[in-house]
C-alpha cells in the first residue's frame, strides 16, 4: 500500500459504516466533493499540510501509519500554573467530553482518588479540591488560608458543565480501599497547617461522608447508568476511557490534573479490553449482597470518622 492508502485506511477505521469517506475528507480539508473524490480514489495526492490536518483530526500518529507501529499520537491537557490556567483546563475538559453528550456513551474510571466529578459542582468540598489543586500545582511557598479562596464565575460554570456531562454517561468505576485516602489526608494536612478552620474541616469530612452515602444508595438501587466495583488487589491509576458507537477516547494521567489524551484505535481498544478484565476481577457493589456493600462503605466511613476525631481532639491532644 502507498502511504496515502494507509492513511485512508486508518481514517476509515474510525468512521461509521454510514459515513461517506469522501464527504468527511471534503469537510475536514474544506475542499469540493470532486477534489475529495480524486484524493480518495488515489488520482491526486494529499499535500503535507492536508496529511498533518487529517492526522491531527483523527489522532493518528504518522509514525504509526507510515513507519513505527508502536508510536501513538497524544494530545495533552492544559498545564496549570495559575487560576486562569485552571479555568482553561476545565474549559478544555468540557470540550473533550462534549462530543460524547447524548450518544449513549460509557465511561470507565480506574479511581485512584475520588473521581473529579464528585468533587466539583457547588459543595464546600468542590471548592476545597480546587483550592488544593491550584496551590499544589503552583507550588507557592506562602499559601493563603482556604477561607480567603474565591471561585470565579467562569470556573463554576465550566465545572458544573463538566459534571452535567458526567451525569449523562453510563458509569463504570473501580475503587479500592485507598480511593478516598488522598482527599481525607489533604483536609487534615491543611487543617493542621492552620490554613483551614476546624469548622470547615468538619464540614469537608461530612461532605466526603455524604458522597459515600449517595454512592451506597445508588449501588443498593442498582441504577442502570451507575456501576461501582471494588478491587482488592489492583493498584488503580485514574485512567479514564470514554466510548460510544463511533469512537473511544483514553485519558492517561501524568501529573495531579494533567492527562495525555488519545483516540488511537488500537490503543483505546486495548484499554477497553483491559478495563473489562479489571471488571471481571472486581466485585460489583451493585450486584453484591447488602453485607459486602456495607463492609466496603462502613470501612470507608470509619476512615473519615478517624480523621474527624483527630480534628475534634487536635487541641486537647496538643495541649
Amino acid at each position: 500500500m502507498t502511504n496515502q492508502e494507509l492513511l485512508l485506511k486508518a481514517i476509515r477505521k474510525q468512521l461509521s459504516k454510514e459515513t461517506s469517506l469522501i464527504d468527511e475528507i471534503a469537510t475536514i480539508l474544506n475542499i469540493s466533493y470532486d477534489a475529495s473524490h480524486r484524493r480518495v480514489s488515489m488520482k491526486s495526492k494529499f499535500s503535507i499540510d492536508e496529511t498533518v490536518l487529517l492526522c491531527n483530526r483523527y489522532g493518528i500518529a504518522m509514525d504509526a501509519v507510515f513507519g513505527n507501529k508502536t508510536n501513538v499520537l497524544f494530545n495533552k491537557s492544559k498545564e496549570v500554573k495559575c487560576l486562569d490556567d485552571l479555568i482553561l483546563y476545565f474549559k478544555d475538559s468540557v470540550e473533550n467530553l462534549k462530543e460524547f453528550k447524548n450518544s449513549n456513551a460509557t465511561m470507565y474510571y480506574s479511581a485512584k482518588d475520588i473521581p473529579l466529578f464528585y468533587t466539583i459542582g457547588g459543595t464546600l468540598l468542590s471548592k476545597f479540591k480546587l483550592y488544593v489543586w491550584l496551590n499544589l500545582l503552583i507550588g507557592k511557598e506562602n499559601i493563603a488560608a482556604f477561607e480567603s479562596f474565591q471561585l470565579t464565575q467562569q470556573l463554576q460554570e465550566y465545572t458544573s458543565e463538566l459534571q452535567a456531562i458526567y451525569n449523562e454517561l453510563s458509569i463504570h468505576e473501580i475503587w479500592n480501599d485507598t480511593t478516598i485516602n488522598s482527599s481525607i489526608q489533604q483536609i487534615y494536612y491543611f487543617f493542621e497547617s492552620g490554613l483551614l478552620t476546624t469548622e470547615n474541616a468538619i464540614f469537608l469530612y461530612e461532605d466526603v461522608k455524604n458522597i459515600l452515602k449517595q454512592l451506597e444508595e445508588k449501588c443498593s438501587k442498582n441504577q442502570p447508568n451507575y456501576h461501582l466495583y471494588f478491587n482488592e488487589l489492583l493498584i488503580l491509576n485514574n485512567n479514564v476511557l470514554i466510548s460510544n458507537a463511533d469512537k473511544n477516547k483514553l485519558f492517561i494521567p501524568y501529573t495531579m490534573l494533567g492527562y495525555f489524551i488519545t483516540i488511537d484505535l488500537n490503543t483505546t481498544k486495548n484499554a477497553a479490553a483491559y478495563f473489562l478484565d479489571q471488571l471481571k476481577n472486581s466485585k460489583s457493589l451493585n450486584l453484591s449482597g447488602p453485607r459486602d456493600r456495607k463492609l466496603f462503605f462502613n470501612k470507608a466511613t470509619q476512615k473519615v470518622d478517624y480523621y474527624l476525631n483527630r480534628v475534634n481532639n487536635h487541641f486537647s491532644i496538643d495541649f
Side-chain angles (χ1 to χ4, degrees):
M1 280 189 179
T2 66
N3 286 338
Q4 185 152 321
E5 286 172 320
L6 289 169
L7 177 57
L8 290 169
K9 181 180 179 181
I11 294 171
R12 280 193 185 94
K13 286 183 179 180
Q14 298 194 32
L15 302 180
S16 64
K17 293 180 180 179
E18 298 78 20
T19 302
S20 164
L21 178 60
I22 296 173
D23 287 339
E24 186 83 359
I25 298 295
T27 300
I28 294 167
L29 299 184
N30 194 26
I31 56 179
S32 69
Y33 181 91
D34 287 342
S36 177
H37 184 273
R38 288 195 296 273
R39 287 161 173 77
V40 172
S41 62
M42 307 301 297
K43 292 178 181 177
S44 63
K45 294 182 178 180
F46 292 125
S47 69
I48 293 176
D49 288 342
E50 288 173 343
T51 301
V52 171
L53 184 60
L54 289 169
C55 286
N56 286 336
R57 170 63 179 80
Y58 291 102
I60 297 169
M62 291 187 187
D63 281 352
V65 175
F66 308 135
N68 187 341
K69 304 298 182 184
T70 62
N71 287 1
V72 176
L73 181 65
F74 283 90
N75 291 322
K76 194 170 70 166
S77 59
K78 175 68 180 175
E79 297 284 358
V80 178
K81 299 296 182 184
C82 63
L83 181 58
D84 286 342
D85 289 342
L86 189 61
I87 292 169
L88 286 175
Y89 172 88
F90 281 107
K91 181 182 179 182
D92 290 346
S93 297
V94 169
E95 291 301 316
N96 271 310
L97 297 189
K98 193 179 286 184
E99 63 189 300
F100 293 97
K101 287 182 68 175
N102 305 316
S103 66
N104 296 316
T106 300
M107 174 183 283
Y108 299 92
Y109 200 125
S110 175
K112 178 181 179 181
D113 306 310
I114 298 176
L116 174 148
F117 304 97
Y118 299 120
T119 55
I120 55 177
T123 64
L124 188 68
L125 182 62
S126 67
K127 180 180 177 182
F128 176 73
K129 292 298 285 188
L130 291 167
Y131 165 81
V132 171
W133 290 328
L134 195 58
N135 282 300
L136 293 184
L137 288 167
I138 291 175
K140 284 183 177 179
E141 290 187 11
N142 298 313
I143 301 175
F146 168 68
E147 285 70 28
S148 67
F149 178 63
Q150 298 296 322
L151 296 180
T152 68
Q153 184 65 31
Q154 274 187 311
L155 194 54
Q156 290 174 331
E157 288 174 359
Y158 289 133
T159 54
S160 296
E161 191 173 355
L162 191 61
Q163 191 176 53
I165 296 172
Y166 169 85
N167 291 335
E168 290 184 6
L169 304 173
S170 176
I171 304 298
H172 295 262
E173 290 174 358
I174 305 172
W175 289 37
N176 64 18
D177 287 332
T178 66
T179 296
I180 68 168
N181 287 5
S182 177
S183 292
I184 60 179
Q185 287 168 358
Q186 285 167 357
I187 295 169
Y188 193 77
Y189 171 86
F190 283 95
F191 161 73
E192 197 172 39
S193 300
L195 299 170
L196 178 66
T197 65
T198 301
E199 183 182 25
N200 277 335
I202 292 170
F203 283 144
L204 288 169
Y205 284 126
E206 292 299 331
D207 274 351
V208 176
K209 290 172 72 172
N210 284 335
I211 288 173
L212 294 171
K213 183 179 179 181
Q214 289 166 13
L215 294 185
E216 185 175 5
E217 288 176 358
K218 278 186 176 183
C219 291
S220 64
K221 293 176 181 177
N222 194 18
Q223 296 184 354
N225 286 334
Y226 182 79
H227 306 271
L228 181 61
Y229 301 82
F230 170 54
N231 192 299
E232 296 183 75
L233 301 176
L234 194 67
I235 298 175
L236 306 179
N237 54 16
N238 285 337
N239 277 3
V240 180
L241 177 70
I242 308 178
S243 61
N244 60 21
D246 296 324
K247 67 161 36 174
N248 298 327
K249 185 175 282 190
L250 178 65
F251 299 76
I252 302 171
Y254 68 95
T255 62
M256 186 185 304
L257 281 182
Y259 278 86
F260 293 121
I261 306 162
T262 186
I263 59 173
D264 176 74
L265 192 60
N266 289 330
T267 302
T268 55
K269 278 187 175 180
N270 289 337
Y274 180 64
F275 266 109
L276 292 176
D277 283 341
Q278 289 183 48
L279 298 186
K280 290 176 184 176
N281 294 312
S282 302
K283 180 179 292 184
S284 169
L285 294 176
N286 292 49
L287 301 178
S288 60
R291 179 181 177 278
D292 287 337
R293 193 160 48 242
K294 277 291 181 187
L295 283 173
F296 174 79
F297 285 106
N298 284 349
K299 188 173 183 179
T301 302
Q302 287 166 9
K303 280 188 179 183
V304 183
D305 286 337
Y306 169 78
Y307 279 92
L308 262 172
N309 289 332
R310 289 184 69 183
V311 169
N312 285 320
N313 296 326
H314 180 76
F315 294 106
S316 61
I317 291 173
D318 286 350
F319 300 104

